[in-house]
Amino acid sequence: MRDDLGMYLKLLRSAMIDLINRDYADFVNLSSNLIGLDKAINDLQAPLGQLREEVLQVRQALDDEITAISTNLDENLKIRERKQSLYSLQHAYKSLKKLSSILSMETFMENPTKIDVLEQAAIELNQLKFHISRCKVDMSTDQEKESSKLESLYLTFLNELFLACIHEKNSNLMVRCLRIYLTLDKITIAEEQVKHEVLRPLIYNIVNEENLQTDPLGLQSIYHKLLNILNVELKQLLDITLYPDRISVKGFNFLVNSFWIEVEEKIEQYIKSIFAPGDPVLFHKRYTATLEFLIKLEAECVTPETLAALRNHPQYKSFLKKWNLPVYFQIRFQEIAGNVETILAEPVSPDSVKGSLTSLTQKDFSLHATCIVWDNLLRIWADDIYLYQLFHKFWKLSLQICSRYQTWCQNTMKQVWPVINETNSSSNSEHSTRLNFLVYLYTDVEKLINALPSFLQMVQLKIKDENVIISKLLKESLDETSKNLANLLPSVTKEIVNELSEQCVTYLKQVSDIPRLFRRTKRDVPTKPCPYIKSAMVPLTNFYTDYNKIIPETVIPWLELTLSSLTQNYLLFVTDVLTSVQKTEESLRRLKKIRDKSTGILPSEPQGTSDDEKIRIQLKVDVDGYVNMIKEFNITTTDIHHLQELIDAVEAAVKK
């Protein structure tokens, strides 16, 4: 590093020398140009200082003048304001005197056209308020009291005339009164007058506990009477203030600020029992009646502004919140889910079957559990239970019930069927066995899957405004439910096949007894199959007889699967017998050779058919009988797995 720094220093020195040599003339000129610069600077200091003093003097003079002008302007403004206040005070006293004269009791009461007097007085009252607002000089206490007294007296006269116009249904005078209220910016007072003096007595007589309990229609009748007030007592007033295409006075909202507020207050005060969700039937009836009332009330709001004012009103929102919908849903949930759970929690038994074999071809379900599940699915969306505000909760409950039913189906296939006497089962096609239950379960699941699309259509009709996104989500969720239910069918089929196989395979095991029937018995060559073949096929024959005419599209596949399983077992049993026969035959042959060799007797040709050959022939006859009985089911033998192997095995054994 030291060597590098030394080299770098040499380079810097070299570069500095080159720079001085190249710019030598500029360095020399720079030093010569600086000669006498300090003297020139000293010469400039004196004139610059004098100029600064002059600028400061001018600035001070301007500041003094600005201050003087501002002071004069402020004084002039105060004088103008004082003059204006005195002018307004003078006019205020004149307006007070004139208004007092107009509103004197004798003058007003004797005047036949009181509305003209009120309109004239309104002008003076507005002028009085205007001048008082501009008057910066305080009025005397007596004058302020007189002003307030005159305004109160004026409003009393105006309110009385306005109410008289409403009762007399005088629309012309009503319009003039409303315009006076609008001119005086007393819209709220007009709405309060209608609320307290016109509506309160009428609503008090309608909204009370007695009418709620004694009237046959209850709350519905109360709402009808309330709407009748709009169509009778307030009709003219609403026509004047709401409809823009008629003689309209804008700014008033008697529907919301007078009618609705009074109705909501009286409902909450006198019949708040309607909000109690303890009785779900009564709660649903009252809530739906309330929604119908609100829909009709909103229909009276002919302009978007009025409708928005109603929906955004705090009392409108609080009124809807008083209906405890979560509690109502919880009660309904306990009812419906309780009914479903009660039936699904019971262990399966013969009593679980509701229908008979003929019910398989009908739309009705065959199991009590499926009937209860379907009935409660429909009940959820019944008009006397369903509420649109709880749509999402009811849909979730529907999916939960379907899922619970799916779990029940899975559990029933694992449950042990109660032991019953099935001695005569072969002659009784209506007996309630586990096999029949499984068949009913299979058909019920199929029927439920086929019924779900119509169920979805029914639910989609409950959606307002036909929301495409919601409809799509409903379909997707229900399709998943249908898929899950459809996944049960192979399991049920497997259980049916196992049940049939278990009933048949016991008899097929008797094939192992065939050697004992022919060894050293000198029986004739067999020509008929053994009884065990017929006995083994009896359960399948009964099953075929019971269900083929009813559900052939499923019976044949079930029989094919059962026969394939049965044939596989039969093949094992036959193979074991043939193997045993062959071993026994070889053992006897060796013993005979040893015995003949020891005695010196030459082996002789066997006479007739041996016992082992009879055993093989019997097996061949049995298998042929088995195949013929399969053909009686109208089943193609090629569709039965392992059947050809079985046939080939016995034929090969006979040819030996």
Side-chain angles (χ1 to χ4, degrees):
M1 184 181 292
R2 184 170 56 249
D3 294 341
D4 292 340
L5 290 175
M7 292 179 64
Y8 187 61
L9 178 60
K10 291 180 181 180
L11 290 174
L12 287 177
R13 286 175 178 173
S14 169
M16 184 179 67
I17 293 172
D18 291 340
L19 178 63
I20 293 174
N21 292 333
R22 187 173 62 251
D23 299 332
Y24 178 77
D26 293 336
F27 281 111
V28 174
N29 291 335
L30 177 62
S31 60
S32 62
N33 290 336
L34 293 176
I35 298 174
L37 183 62
D38 53 346
K39 182 179 180 181
I41 292 173
N42 291 332
D43 293 340
L44 289 174
Q45 284 181 346
L48 287 176
Q50 183 179 358
L51 181 61
R52 181 175 180 276
E53 292 294 331
E54 293 176 356
V55 171
L56 290 175
Q57 291 177 1
V58 173
R59 181 177 179 182
Q60 184 63 38
L62 290 175
D63 290 341
D64 294 342
E65 290 298 325
I66 290 173
T67 302
I69 293 172
S70 298
T71 302
N72 291 335
L73 288 175
D74 291 340
E75 291 178 355
N76 288 336
L77 179 61
K78 291 179 180 179
I79 292 172
R80 284 198 302 271
E81 290 178 351
R82 186 75 175 177
K83 287 182 179 180
Q84 181 65 47
S85 297
L86 292 174
Y87 177 79
S88 297
L89 183 61
Q90 180 182 3
H91 277 276
Y93 280 114
K94 289 181 181 180
S95 296
L96 276 175
K97 185 176 180 180
K98 188 173 181 180
L99 190 60
S100 178
S101 174
I102 294 173
L103 295 179
S104 62
M105 188 62 67
E106 295 80 6
T107 304
F108 183 76
M109 297 305 295
E110 292 176 0
N111 196 319
T113 56
K114 296 182 177 61
I115 187 65
D116 295 335
V117 177
L118 290 175
E119 288 176 343
Q120 183 181 0
I123 297 173
E124 290 299 327
L125 185 59
N126 267 340
Q127 288 186 359
L128 174 62
K129 288 183 176 182
F130 172 74
H131 289 301
I132 289 176
S133 65
R134 298 188 64 185
C135 184
K136 300 296 179 67
V137 181
D138 295 336
M139 297 178 66
S140 64
T141 306
D142 294 337
Q143 298 299 328
E144 290 179 352
K145 290 182 179 179
E146 184 179 359
S147 174
S148 300
K149 181 180 178 182
L150 287 174
E151 183 177 1
S152 177
L153 180 62
Y154 177 82
L155 291 176
T156 301
F157 290 153
L158 179 60
N159 291 337
E160 291 176 353
L161 182 59
F162 178 55
L163 294 175
C165 294
I166 294 176
H167 292 303
E168 296 172 4
K169 301 187 184 305
N170 190 331
S171 59
N172 292 328
L173 289 180
M174 199 183 301
V175 170
R176 296 175 70 178
C177 288
L178 291 172
R179 286 174 178 167
I180 292 175
Y181 281 116
L182 193 59
T183 301
L184 298 176
D185 195 21
K186 299 295 183 183
I187 293 175
T188 304
I189 292 179
E191 293 173 343
E192 288 293 325
Q193 285 297 310
V194 173
K195 173 185 172 184
H196 293 292
E197 303 300 330
V198 179
L199 295 175
R200 180 163 292 178
L202 297 173
I203 295 175
Y204 179 79
N205 293 330
I206 296 173
V207 182
N208 53 66
E209 192 69 28
E210 182 180 357
N211 288 340
L212 182 65
Q213 300 298 336
T214 58
D215 195 299
L217 296 177
L219 187 62
Q220 190 175 3
S221 176
I222 291 177
Y223 286 144
H224 178 73
K225 292 176 181 177
L226 290 174
L227 290 172
N228 195 48
I229 293 176
L230 293 178
N231 298 325
V232 179
E233 281 78 6
L234 291 185
K235 180 173 177 53
Q236 279 191 333
L237 190 60
L238 295 179
D239 287 347
I240 292 171
T241 56
L242 285 182
Y243 291 88
D245 54 342
R246 304 179 187 177
I247 301 175
S248 180
V249 181
K250 297 181 179 180
F252 296 90
N253 195 343
F254 294 103
L255 182 65
V256 177
N257 298 330
S258 299
F259 178 78
W260 167 247
I261 293 178
E262 187 65 20
V263 166
E264 197 277 335
E265 289 176 353
K266 291 298 176 286
I267 289 176
E268 187 175 350
Q269 185 176 0
Y270 296 114
I271 56 172
K272 59 182 179 181
S273 60
I274 65 173
F275 302 115
D279 185 346
V281 176
L282 189 59
F283 179 87
H284 184 278
K285 183 178 179 181
R286 288 174 173 175
Y287 184 69
T288 51
T290 300
L291 292 181
E292 184 179 356
F293 167 70
L294 294 179
I295 290 173
K296 292 180 180 179
L297 184 62
E298 290 180 355
E300 296 291 335
C301 302
V302 294
T303 61
E305 294 78 13
T306 308
L307 181 60
L310 175 63
R311 290 178 174 175
N312 296 326
H313 198 279
Q315 286 182 236
Y316 186 88
K317 295 179 179 179
S318 65
F319 178 74
L320 291 177
K321 290 180 180 179
K322 292 182 185 299
W323 297 90
N324 203 331
L325 296 179
V327 174
Y328 168 77
F329 173 77
Q330 193 62 32
I331 294 174
R332 291 300 192 187
F333 179 88
Q334 292 174 357
E335 289 180 358
I336 296 172
N339 292 337
V340 174
E341 188 60 31
T342 300
I343 190 67
L344 296 185
E346 296 178 355
V348 293
S349 66
D351 295 333
S352 301
V353 178
K354 174 186 177 183
S356 60
L357 294 178
T358 55
S359 67
L360 296 176
T361 59
Q362 301 171 355
K363 292 184 179 180
D364 297 335
F365 297 103
S366 302
L367 300 179
H368 286 289
T370 316
C371 291
I372 295 298
V373 166
W374 180 248
D375 290 343
N376 280 277
L377 282 176
L378 297 180
R379 187 184 173 204
I380 291 173
W381 304 94
D383 292 337
D384 59 343
I385 291 182
Y386 168 76
L387 292 174
Y388 179 75
Q389 290 72 16
L390 297 172
F391 179 91
H392 60 295
K393 290 180 176 287
F394 281 125
W395 179 249
K396 181 179 179 181
L397 176 57
S398 300
L399 297 180
Q400 287 174 327
I401 289 177
C402 292
S403 177
R404 179 65 182 89
Y405 177 74
Q406 178 189 351
T407 303
W408 176 80
C409 292
Q410 293 171 343
N411 293 335
T412 55
M413 289 185 282
K414 300 176 183 178
Q415 291 183 25
V416 178
W417 190 264
V419 178
I420 59 175
N421 185 10
E422 297 186 5
T423 305
N424 299 323
S425 61
S426 60
S427 60
N428 183 8
S429 61
E430 297 291 334
H431 64 285
S432 296
T433 63
R434 183 172 186 269
L435 179 60
N436 283 344
F437 174 82
L438 291 172
V439 174
Y440 292 138
L441 178 63
Y442 186 95
T443 56
D444 273 13
V445 172
E446 274 192 332
K447 290 177 182 178
L448 183 59
I449 294 172
N450 294 332
L452 286 180
S454 62
F455 174 75
L456 176 62
Q457 292 179 358
M458 179 192 69
V459 173
Q460 288 175 336
L461 293 176
K462 303 286 185 179
I463 304 175
K464 293 183 179 179
D465 303 328
E466 296 183 357
N467 193 307
V468 178
I469 297 177
I470 295 179
S471 297
K472 182 180 179 181
L473 293 175
L474 293 179
K475 186 177 184 305
E476 290 176 354
S477 58
L478 197 64
D479 286 345
E480 184 176 353
T481 299
S482 300
K483 182 179 179 181
N484 292 335
L485 289 173
N487 291 336
L488 292 172
L489 297 179
S491 300
V492 180
T493 296
K494 182 178 179 181
E495 291 297 321
I496 292 174
V497 171
N498 290 340
E499 188 72 17
L500 284 171
S501 298
E502 288 177 3
Q503 295 180 20
C504 299
V505 74
T506 304
Y507 298 101
L508 290 179
K509 289 180 180 179
Q510 297 178 15
V511 71
S512 60
D513 296 335
I514 292 178
R516 289 196 297 271
L517 297 177
F518 291 95
R519 291 200 183 279
R520 302 182 181 279
T521 59
K522 297 182 179 181
R523 288 195 176 191
D524 296 335
V525 177
T527 57
K528 294 181 180 180
C530 293
Y532 76 87
I533 293 295
K534 184 176 181 181
S535 299
M537 302 301 284
V538 166
L540 298 183
T541 303
N542 291 336
F543 185 77
Y544 180 80
T545 304
D546 290 343
Y547 296 108
N548 185 52
K549 293 182 180 179
I550 301 174
I551 48 173
E553 66 281 356
T554 52
V555 166
I556 298 302
W558 287 340
L559 287 176
E560 289 177 355
L561 292 172
T562 304
L563 288 169
S564 296
S565 174
L566 203 59
T567 303
Q568 184 178 10
N569 290 323
Y570 192 22
L571 176 60
L572 293 176
F573 299 150
V574 170
T575 303
D576 290 343
V577 171
L578 290 174
T579 303
S580 175
V581 168
Q582 184 178 0
K583 289 181 179 179
T584 303
E585 187 177 20
E586 290 177 354
S587 297
L588 292 175
R589 187 180 298 113
R590 283 197 300 270
L591 288 174
K592 187 177 181 181
K593 284 183 179 180
I594 295 172
R595 187 183 56 193
D596 291 343
K597 187 178 296 184
S598 62
T599 57
I601 301 174
L602 294 176
S604 60
E605 293 295 327
Q607 301 295 324
T609 306
S610 66
D611 294 343
D612 294 327
E613 290 176 345
K614 292 178 182 179
I615 293 172
R616 293 188 182 97
I617 293 172
Q618 183 64 60
L619 290 175
K620 175 69 168 57
V621 173
D622 289 349
V623 170
D624 291 341
Y626 178 76
V627 173
N628 292 332
M629 296 191 73
I630 291 176
K631 294 179 179 178
E632 292 179 1
F633 296 135
N634 294 324
I635 296 177
T636 306
T637 55
T638 54
D639 295 333
I640 307 301
H641 300 305
H642 309 290
L643 183 60
Q644 190 60 45
E645 295 179 36
L646 177 63
I647 295 172
D648 294 341
V650 294
E651 287 182 351
V654 170
K655 291 179 181 179
K656 287 184 180 180

